[in-house]
Amino acid sequence: VEKGKLAAIDLKRQIGAPRFREALTPLMRTMVEKQSVVVDDITGATVSSRALKRAVADALSRAAGN
């Protein structure tokens, strides 16, 4: 988070199976572009998509001091 905006998403640890990291790249890009975690899940990686969105929402909340 930079200047109150989502600047980038960096996975510090693996979410789900290793092949899902590549599948989640478009999801991460979309969240940054839309400045929101309210985006469609990746088909075939629904559980990983939702885990990533929860993690990003948590990080944004912590950055905001909540």
Side-chain angles (χ1 to χ4, degrees), residues 6-59:
L6 182 58
I9 300 171
D10 181 27
L11 297 179
K12 298 292 184 188
R13 60 184 177 151
Q14 186 61 47
I15 296 176
R19 68 182 181 275
F20 289 126
R21 183 181 191 105
E22 186 175 316
L24 293 174
T25 299
L27 180 68
M28 293 186 284
R29 187 177 314 117
T30 300
M31 286 191 283
V32 172
E33 288 171 1
K34 292 189 175 203
Q35 291 295 298
S36 177
V37 296
V38 182
V39 296
D40 292 337
D41 295 329
I42 300 294
T43 302
T46 304
V47 172
S48 296
S49 295
R50 291 179 181 169
L52 176 62
K53 290 192 290 187
R54 279 192 306 271
V56 171
D58 182 55

